[in-house]
């Protein structure tokens, strides 16, 4: 600031500061903005790139439409002065926040910057994320969090820990109101893991993303157990084993493309509808192919994906958790140009049986769809729940009940197609009429019964078969009689449990008509705070 010398009346000359000129103010702003844009050192940026990782700003630019990003709090800086922090106060405080557009639709975004304080969370860092989340709730748009952090900022002590809890509370409040997506682009450890875990979708990048409550170094120090970072909490572990990740991206660009595609199926919030598009028919001849798609042997596996692709628009299904609980398919598709959530048993894995992982995967997906008004389309071919002591001890009763609860609680339009087997508890839980599903269809190949023919005959006629002159022939005769009388779709259709038995080639047409009729569905809900799902 310039100093101007003036002479007061009757006194000595006095020096007074001269306010900066407009040009000086603008130059100062440009300097500060440049400093905020380049908060990281070149060495830190090079180190980040050497790991195959982009910087926070580069990630925001890759994710959002070009030129659409509007930043919040670019000049915010931490207020901590102890432990040498007073000498280092970069603008932004290690997180970039703001809003922009994806394919022209508004989203809010925050990106943790590992090149500034290792992306560690402190008071101002937390305040910035809370501010952008509050903005998302007020404007009704999705929130995308890009995580790449060393954890809580040690120098700020309990304040850092407090803001993890504050963030978890905000994400909980936003759950079911706006879609929430977490991109894990680096480490995420300790209390930080529970923030993305609350969100609707978690995307991890192979070899560069890690998520664990306790890191390998601490684990070794405390327990003596030596474990590799990838094995403990790598992207592949969480995609295949734990189910904490919903998509395993090959690289960061693949992660951004998945998120952009995912958003195209979702509404901006729980009061809006998902965007609709012109209907795109499946491949030519797809409908007719369904009449011959099932193998003649009812015990032979087939790929349920091939059925789904011949029913949904363009044959396109965006799978959710495709590498986890592969006996259950969950994904987003379109039917007649409108978004649907697709749920299906996969006979190619464990014969499509329902186990603990499949139950929880499907239950969470149904509840997500119900939260955001996305109809649920179910394809059933299930021999039942997986038996065995391991499943029983791990809680298949309680955890399997989650799927029953999710279907029974859903108020969105629901349509079920029974393709082949629907046995025992599997029939009840996989979108049966008794759980409140709106339209139930069955193919002529459907087998709806307590159990299949072999099992039923061995229970009902064991002594008769043993005493027969030809036990094999007698067993086959009794099985045929049982299947004709009970193991078919017509007993259920006779009682109204199935609304229509249709040719496989008619499936797409019937699903389109059902969903169109259900578009104005209204379902009264009992006044209550919330149900108590068996967690």
């Amino acid at each position: 600031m310039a100093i101007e010398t003036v002479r007061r009346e009757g006194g000595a000359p006095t020096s007074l500061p001269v306010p900066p000129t407009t040009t000086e103010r603008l130059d100062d702003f440009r300097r500060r903005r440049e400093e905020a844009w380049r908060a990281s050192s070149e060495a830190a940026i090079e180190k980040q790139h050497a790991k195959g990782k982009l910087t926070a700003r580069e990630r925001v630019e890759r994710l959002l439409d070009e030129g659409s990003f509007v930043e919040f709090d670019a000049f915010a800086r931490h207020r901590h002065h102890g432990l040498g922090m007073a000498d280092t106060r970069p603008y932004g405080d290690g997180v970039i926040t703001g809003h922009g557009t994806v394919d022209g639709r508004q989203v809010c975004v925050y990106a943790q910057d590992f090149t500034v304080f290792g992306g560690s969370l402190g008071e101002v860092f937390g305040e910035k994320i809370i501010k952008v989340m509050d903005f998302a709730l007020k404007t009704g748009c999705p929130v995308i969090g890009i995580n790449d952090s060393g954890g809580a900022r040690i120098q700020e002590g309990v304040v850092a820990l407090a803001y993890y809890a504050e963030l978890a509370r905000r994400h909980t409040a936003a759950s079911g109101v706006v879609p929430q997506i977490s991109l894990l682009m680096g480490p995420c450890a300790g209390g930080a893991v529970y923030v993305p875990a609350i969100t609707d979708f978690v995307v991890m990048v192979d070899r560069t993303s890690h998520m664990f409550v306790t890191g390998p170094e601490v684990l070794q120090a405390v327990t003596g157990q030596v474990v590799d970072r990838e094995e403990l909490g790598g992207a592949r572990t969480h995609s295949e084993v734990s189910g904490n990740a919903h998509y395993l991206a090959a690289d960061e660009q693949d992660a951004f493309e998945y998120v952009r595609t995912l958003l195209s199926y979702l509404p901006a919030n729980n009061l809006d509808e998902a965007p609709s598009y012109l209907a795109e028919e499946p491949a030519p001849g797809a409908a007719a192919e369904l009449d011959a798609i099932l193998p003649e042997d009812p015990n032979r596996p087939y790929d349920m994906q091939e059925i789904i692709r011949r029913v949904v628009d363009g044959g396109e299904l965006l799978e959710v958790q495709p590498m986890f609980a592969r006996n259950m398919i969950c994904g987003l598709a379109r039917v007649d140009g409108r978004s649907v959530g697709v749920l299906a048993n996969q006979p190619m894995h464990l014969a499509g049986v329902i186990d603990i992982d499949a139950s929880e995967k499907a239950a969470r997906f149904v509840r997500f769809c119900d939260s955001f008004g996305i109809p649920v389309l179910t394809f059933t071919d299930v021999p039942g729940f997986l038996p065995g002591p391991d499943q029983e001890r791990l809680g298949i009763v309680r955890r399997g009940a989650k799927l029953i609860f999710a279907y029974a609680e859903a108020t969105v339009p629901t349509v079920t197609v029974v393709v082949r087997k629907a046995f025992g508890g599997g029939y009840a839980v996989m979108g049966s009429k008794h759980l409140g599903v709106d339209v139930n269809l069955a193919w002529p190949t459907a087998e709806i019964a307590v159990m299949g023919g072999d099992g039923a005959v061995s229970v009902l006629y064991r002594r008769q078969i043993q005493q027969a002159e030809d036990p094999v022939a007698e067993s086959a005769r009794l099985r045929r009689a049982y299947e004709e009388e009970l193991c078919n779709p017509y007993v259920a259709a006779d009682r109204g449990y199935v609304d229509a038995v249709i040719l496989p080639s008619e499936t797409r047409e019937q699903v389109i008509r059902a969903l169109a009729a259900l578009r104005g569905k209204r379902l009264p809900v009992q006044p209550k705070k919330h149900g108590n799902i068996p967690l």
Side-chain angles (χ1 to χ4, degrees):
M1 182 178 292
I3 302 296
E4 183 181 56
T5 301
V6 298
R7 182 178 296 278
R8 294 187 182 275
E9 185 176 348
T14 303
S15 296
L16 296 175
V18 177
T21 65
T22 298
T23 299
E24 288 173 334
R25 289 178 184 274
L26 294 178
D27 288 343
D28 179 62
F29 165 74
R30 292 188 183 98
R31 178 189 61 78
R32 290 174 185 266
R33 184 171 64 179
E34 180 69 18
E35 187 177 335
W37 282 351
R38 300 185 180 279
S40 311
S41 67
E42 290 298 327
I45 293 173
E46 289 177 8
K47 190 174 180 180
Q48 183 84 341
H49 287 167
K51 296 177 182 177
K53 298 160 61 177
L54 299 173
T55 66
R57 288 197 180 277
E58 289 169 340
R59 287 166 174 163
V60 171
E61 290 172 0
R62 296 281 183 93
L63 174 65
L64 301 181
D65 295 339
E66 185 176 357
S68 70
F69 182 55
V70 177
E71 188 171 358
F72 288 162
D73 300 322
F75 297 136
R77 298 192 291 184
H78 74 77
R79 311 178 189 103
H80 191 72
H81 297 288
L83 301 176
M85 294 289 286
D87 299 329
T88 309
R89 298 181 66 223
Y91 285 125
D93 198 44
V95 64
I96 296 169
T97 61
H99 62 85
T101 60
V102 171
D103 294 329
R105 302 171 66 211
Q106 182 168 301
V107 300
C108 284
V109 62
Y110 65 85
Q112 299 169 349
D113 190 349
F114 196 81
T115 65
V116 177
F117 296 138
S120 60
L121 180 144
E123 180 184 19
V124 172
F125 188 116
E127 287 176 349
K128 288 181 65 175
I129 298 177
I130 287 172
K131 181 176 180 178
V132 79
M133 289 191 66
D134 288 346
F135 186 83
L137 283 172
K138 285 189 288 187
T139 58
C141 71
V143 176
I144 304 170
I146 302 176
N147 296 265
D148 187 3
S149 170
R153 192 171 299 170
I154 297 172
Q155 296 93 327
E156 297 196 30
V158 70
V159 175
L161 299 179
Y163 272 93
Y164 276 129
E166 290 280 358
L167 289 176
R169 185 160 63 96
R170 284 305 197 288
H171 281 290
T172 302
S175 182
V177 181
V178 295
Q180 301 179 85
I181 301 171
S182 295
L183 285 152
L184 268 61
M185 302 299 208
C188 186
V193 299
Y194 295 108
V195 172
I198 293 171
T199 63
D200 299 307
F201 298 96
V202 175
V203 177
M204 297 184 73
V205 179
D206 198 15
R207 309 303 300 179
T208 58
S209 299
H210 298 93
M211 177 168 56
F212 27 62
V213 173
T214 304
E217 295 84 2
V218 176
L219 188 65
Q220 182 179 358
V222 173
T223 69
Q225 185 177 1
V226 178
V227 62
D228 177 73
R229 292 175 69 86
E230 285 295 321
E231 181 186 354
L232 180 63
R236 194 164 292 275
T237 293
H238 288 303
S239 298
E240 296 178 349
V241 183
S242 73
N244 290 329
H246 297 81
Y247 182 69
L248 174 66
D251 53 33
E252 295 195 6
Q253 188 59 40
D254 182 32
F256 298 140
E257 291 301 323
Y258 181 83
V259 170
R260 292 177 70 92
T261 304
L262 175 62
L263 287 168
S264 73
Y265 290 96
L266 307 182
N269 55 67
N270 63 333
L271 300 180
D272 284 356
E273 293 186 355
S276 59
Y277 300 81
L278 289 175
E280 183 181 351
E281 292 293 321
E289 291 170 358
L290 288 175
D291 286 340
I293 202 165
L294 291 184
E296 292 294 335
D297 181 353
N299 294 316
R300 183 179 170 189
Y302 63 92
D303 189 355
M304 181 65 84
Q305 293 267 8
E306 295 301 321
I307 291 177
I308 296 170
R309 292 192 186 102
R310 287 167 171 79
V311 175
V312 300
D313 286 10
E316 295 179 358
L317 175 72
L318 183 71
E319 274 203 77
V320 175
Q321 294 178 292
M323 303 171 72
F324 176 70
R326 292 189 293 167
N327 42 321
M328 184 73 74
I329 297 170
C330 297
L332 293 159
R334 295 186 184 91
V335 173
D336 201 29
R338 295 175 179 268
S339 294
V340 297
V342 177
L343 198 76
N345 308 110
Q346 175 56 287
M348 293 292 289
H349 297 279
L350 295 176
V353 72
I354 302 173
D355 60 1
I356 286 171
D357 288 344
S359 298
E360 294 187 332
K361 172 182 175 178
R364 192 174 192 276
F365 183 71
V366 169
R367 285 171 65 84
F368 170 80
C369 291
D370 190 51
S371 295
F372 292 101
I374 300 173
V376 176
L377 173 60
T378 305
F379 292 89
T380 302
D381 186 353
V382 58
F385 282 88
L386 180 64
D390 288 343
Q391 288 285 301
E392 298 291 353
R393 292 191 188 105
L394 292 171
I396 185 63
V397 174
R398 169 177 53 84
R399 296 161 81 175
K402 295 179 186 181
L403 184 52
I404 297 173
F405 194 105
Y407 268 113
E409 188 184 45
T411 60
V412 293
T414 47
V415 177
T416 294
V417 181
V418 182
V419 172
R420 198 168 63 172
K421 296 180 177 68
F423 292 156
Y427 157 73
V429 71
M430 283 301 296
S432 68
K433 179 67 70 178
H434 322 286
L435 290 179
V437 167
D438 300 303
V439 175
N440 291 74
L441 308 171
W443 288 5
T445 50
E447 303 173 69
I448 303 174
V450 174
M451 62 179 66
D454 287 334
V457 166
S458 67
V459 171
L460 296 173
Y461 304 109
R462 179 168 46 195
R463 182 171 298 177
Q464 181 177 333
I465 292 170
Q466 290 173 346
Q467 295 173 352
E469 291 184 9
D470 187 345
V472 175
E474 181 68 3
S475 177
R477 183 187 69 79
L478 291 170
R479 173 181 172 172
R480 183 62 179 266
Y482 168 82
E483 291 174 346
E484 289 178 354
E485 183 176 354
L486 292 175
C487 199
N488 59 65
Y490 304 108
V491 176
D494 179 66
R495 291 181 172 272
Y497 301 163
V498 167
D499 296 301
V501 180
I502 63 172
L503 287 172
S505 55
E506 298 169 344
T507 304
R508 175 174 166 82
E509 177 186 355
Q510 291 292 334
V511 169
I512 288 174
R513 290 182 178 183
L515 290 173
L518 290 165
R519 204 159 288 154
K521 177 183 176 181
R522 295 290 183 268
L523 191 66
V525 179
Q526 291 291 333
K528 61 181 177 180
K529 189 172 183 180
H530 55 72
N532 186 21
I533 188 170
L535 295 174

